Amino acid sequence: MFASATPFLTIGLLILSNVFMTFAWYGHLKFESKPLYLVIMVSWGIAFFEYCAQVPANRIGYGYFNAAQLKTIQEIITLSVFVIFSVLYLGEPIHWKQIVGFGFIALGSFFIFTK
């Protein structure tokens, strides 16, 4: 594999995995009338696909990124995917306090990637 493609492939797979995991963790909130055991089983099924993207992403990216950088990338992607999900899927408004909080987390990532 070309080293120049590594960050793009890693980040792409992390985005894909986070979309699946966000639906696995929070997608059932729109189906409150469904039995808990059913939403757990469906969530496990969705999470399988999350792992099918997450594990290769970390395997491919490790070496190009260190473990702390991989985790930081994953967390920034998780927050980004979650904001989009909560607004578009759950219909929840984003509040300025959430934006400020996410901004501080993003600022923290600056220190992880600074040499």
Side-chain angles (χ1 to χ4, degrees):
M1 179 185 321
F2 298 108
S4 61
T6 298
F8 297 105
L9 187 55
T10 300
I11 292 169
L13 286 169
L14 287 173
I15 290 170
L16 181 64
S17 75
N18 274 280
V19 168
F20 280 116
M21 189 49 86
T22 301
F23 274 96
W25 284 10
Y26 302 103
H28 62 86
L29 296 177
K30 288 185 91 172
F31 302 98
E32 292 182 48
S33 65
K34 299 295 180 192
L36 186 56
Y37 77 89
L38 180 62
V39 297
I40 289 171
M41 297 304 289
V42 170
S43 292
W44 275 11
I46 296 169
F48 170 77
F49 295 103
E50 183 270 340
Y51 278 86
C52 288
Q54 180 80 24
V55 172
N58 287 328
R59 175 75 57 99
I60 292 165
Y62 187 67
Y64 188 92
F65 300 108
N66 65 39
Q69 290 172 328
L70 282 170
K71 183 61 178 170
T72 302
I73 293 166
Q74 188 267 331
E75 292 300 332
I76 296 299
I77 291 169
T78 296
L79 289 173
S80 301
V81 168
F82 181 77
V83 167
I84 294 166
F85 174 87
S86 65
V87 170
L88 297 180
Y89 183 79
L90 295 176
E92 295 183 358
I94 187 80
H95 192 271
W96 71 268
K97 290 180 182 182
Q98 295 165 324
I99 293 170
V100 170
F102 292 162
F104 280 123
I105 293 169
L107 179 62
S109 69
F110 168 78
F111 294 102
I112 300 294
F113 285 95
T114 302
K115 302 234 183 232

